[in-house]
Amino acid sequence: MLTLTYEYKLKPTKQQIQEIENTLAVCRKVWNYALRERKDWVNSRKCKVNACSIEYEYIIKANELFPNYHVQAKRLTEAKKNNPELKSVNAQVLQQVLRTLDRAWEDMKSRNFGFPRFKKYFRMKSFVFPQLKGEIVKAGRVKLPQLGWVKFYQSRPIPDGFVVKQARVVRRASGYFVMLSLQLDVNVPNIPFRGHPIGIDVGLDSFLATSEGQLIARPKFFNALHRQMELLQRRLKFKKLGSNNRNKLNAKIARLHQKISDTRKDFHFKTAHNICAQGDSIFVEDIDFKTWAKGMFCKHTLDAGFGQFFTILSYVSWKRGKYFGKVNKDGTSQICPNCDAHTGKKTLNIRIHSCPECGYTTNRDVAASQVIRNRGISAVGQMVLENAY
């Protein structure tokens, strides 16, 4: 099964905007109520029966079941009988809110994620229609439950044979968007290693270096607008909480953040296509970017968005029929790509690789990318046919 997600910008009417905002508000209330139920149940089991706090304690029956998705979905159905606000929203949309909370709760335990947070107005940004029936897209319009036919900018057509399975409506600083999940019942084989290989080394001196000798400078997406962001957030401190002026300034800050995010994403896609146009197999380092984000250069690392770039590069490689693989990152700057000799550790101020054994000299990052390429070729069971000149 092949699944794609296409994103389009909506052009809703005033009435449709009110319906979207009402749906987001109800979803936020359901999330907060369900999360409060789970927190209360956990807090009621924290202390021993003979060692309760003398100030206050959560008291819930001993035989009360943990409020998981199934329990809360049943309670939601019962609550809709007496609550007209819950009736105003599609039932499946509210069920998906509970499923998302249940998934976040499980990730907290299994993947060591943080505790799910309560949602305020600006944090509940989207809701999803999990099932769509009939004709969904027609002549620049998309049909959504409750909203009816909504106009949108159809920037690209839906591919032939794909079926629209679900839709997610997203509120952003620049407007409302719809993300359509498309499915096609077809088996997609894995792309084998073939053709001309390219190794990529990422860093902060240059955004990346390729084994072909190409160096791409690192754009400073956040730093370029940091002063403007700082001035806006300084003004925000003096605005009254809940006032219209504060909301307007918050919207302005959000648009600036989205501009930074969109610029970074556009650069990543263009760079990924540029790399895929040069070779048939792409190799990168297997890096834990969470660790990178906690180091001395955490701000610059997060600004570069290396994790997002690798995700985009793997997608673009798959879409263009290129092989994408990850190799061990250890010691890539300590080995000569020409003779495989160990050259020792290099400090960050040393930007030139010079091998004492064979005399091969090149840029340090380019040499590391060539080592990554050689490791990738060896990992897929092929011999290195050509070393660096």
Side-chain angles (χ1 to χ4, degrees):
M1 184 68 70
L2 177 60
T3 303
L4 298 177
T5 301
Y6 277 18
E7 182 177 335
Y8 303 98
K9 186 171 184 179
L10 293 174
K11 297 187 288 183
T13 62
K14 290 184 178 180
Q15 183 178 357
Q16 289 170 338
I17 291 177
Q18 291 178 356
E19 190 67 36
I20 293 173
E21 292 295 337
N22 175 66
T23 303
L24 288 171
V26 175
C27 289
R28 179 172 60 87
K29 293 178 182 179
V30 170
W31 172 282
N32 290 339
Y33 187 89
L35 180 56
R36 181 76 271 168
E37 272 190 338
R38 293 182 178 230
K39 277 196 166 187
D40 288 347
W41 190 93
V42 171
N43 289 331
S44 68
R45 268 67 177 169
K46 275 187 174 181
C47 73
K48 299 178 181 179
V49 176
N50 61 346
C52 294
S53 171
I54 62 174
E55 296 180 2
Y56 63 88
E57 192 56 68
Y58 291 86
I59 300 176
I60 297 179
K61 295 179 181 179
N63 59 352
E64 182 75 17
L65 295 175
F66 175 73
N68 57 21
Y69 166 76
H70 301 287
V71 173
Q72 292 184 327
K74 185 177 180 180
R75 291 175 181 173
L76 177 64
T77 304
E78 296 173 355
K80 291 184 69 174
K81 298 177 182 178
N82 303 320
N83 192 327
E85 190 176 21
L86 294 177
K87 290 182 180 180
S88 65
V89 177
N90 186 285
Q92 290 185 330
V93 170
L94 299 181
Q95 289 172 0
Q96 289 300 310
V97 173
L98 296 179
R99 285 192 181 276
T100 304
L101 175 60
D102 191 63
R103 187 164 57 248
W105 192 272
E106 293 300 322
D107 287 343
M108 176 190 67
K109 296 183 293 184
S110 62
R111 303 175 64 182
N112 202 24
F113 282 8
F115 210 95
R117 293 192 288 183
F118 292 102
K119 303 280 189 183
K120 59 181 181 180
Y121 172 79
F122 295 103
R123 285 197 176 274
M124 182 60 72
K125 300 178 181 178
S126 69
F127 57 89
V128 61
F129 298 106
Q131 289 183 343
L132 300 174
K133 296 181 180 179
E135 188 177 14
I136 307 301
V137 179
K138 180 177 66 175
R141 294 183 300 165
V142 57
K143 188 177 182 180
L144 301 173
Q146 286 192 284
L147 300 176
W149 289 98
V150 186
K151 293 181 180 180
F152 73 105
Y153 296 97
Q154 193 167 359
S155 53
R156 53 179 172 175
I158 293 178
D160 295 335
F162 281 83
V163 179
V164 182
K165 286 296 184 179
Q166 70 177 27
R168 177 178 292 275
V169 178
V170 184
R171 177 184 62 197
R172 291 184 181 150
S174 59
Y176 298 92
F177 296 80
V178 62
M179 303 175 71
L180 301 179
S181 293
L182 315 175
Q183 283 189 357
L184 179 63
D185 190 6
V186 63
N187 292 325
V188 181
N190 293 328
I191 300 172
F193 169 80
R194 61 183 179 84
H196 181 65
I198 292 180
I200 296 175
D201 178 70
V202 295
L204 293 177
D205 185 60
S206 299
F207 178 75
L208 64 83
T210 69
S211 55
E212 306 296 304
Q214 181 183 12
L215 292 172
I216 298 179
R218 177 175 65 90
K220 299 178 181 180
F221 307 100
F222 183 76
N223 288 351
L225 298 173
H226 182 263
R227 180 59 179 167
Q228 185 177 350
M229 182 74 68
E230 189 178 42
L231 293 175
L232 291 176
Q233 290 180 333
R234 187 180 299 170
R235 288 167 49 194
L236 186 67
K237 181 174 64 174
F238 301 101
K239 301 297 181 184
K240 185 179 178 181
L241 191 66
S243 65
N244 288 334
N245 286 335
R246 185 182 179 88
N247 293 336
K248 290 178 182 178
L249 191 55
N250 265 326
K252 196 170 183 179
I253 293 172
R255 285 195 295 271
L256 192 58
H257 273 294
Q258 186 175 344
K259 180 181 179 181
I260 296 171
S261 175
D262 292 345
T263 306
R264 181 187 294 115
K265 196 171 185 179
D266 179 69
F267 171 76
H268 287 168
F269 267 103
K270 289 179 178 177
T271 305
H273 279 285
N274 180 26
I275 292 172
C276 289
Q278 300 178 27
D280 302 304
S281 297
I282 314 296
F283 295 103
V284 299
E285 295 175 290
D286 189 7
I287 302 174
D288 181 12
F289 291 109
K290 289 184 179 179
T291 305
W292 272 33
K294 298 176 183 177
M296 182 187 303
F297 303 104
C298 57
K299 179 179 177 181
H300 302 285
T301 303
L302 293 172
D303 188 21
F306 294 120
Q308 176 181 271
F309 172 68
F310 277 8
T311 302
I312 290 174
L313 180 59
S314 65
Y315 166 72
V316 173
S317 300
W318 167 81
K319 189 175 180 180
R320 299 186 58 166
K322 312 290 185 178
Y323 177 82
F324 179 83
K326 293 185 177 182
V327 301
N328 183 17
K329 63 176 175 52
D330 296 333
T332 54
S333 62
Q334 304 174 23
I335 298 175
C336 177
N338 190 54
C339 64
D340 291 336
H342 193 277
T343 58
K345 291 185 178 181
K346 301 183 182 72
T347 57
L348 291 177
N349 63 321
I350 300 176
R351 308 312 307 172
I352 299 297
H353 165 82
S354 181
C355 180
E357 299 291 334
C358 65
Y360 178 64
T361 302
T362 185
N363 182 278
R364 167 184 175 155
D365 296 333
V366 172
S369 65
Q370 292 170 351
V371 172
I372 293 168
R373 178 201 59 191
N374 296 345
R375 286 184 181 180
I377 296 173
S378 301
V380 294
Q382 304 290 330
M383 293 183 62
V384 181
L385 301 179
E386 180 183 3
N387 283 329
Y389 291 102

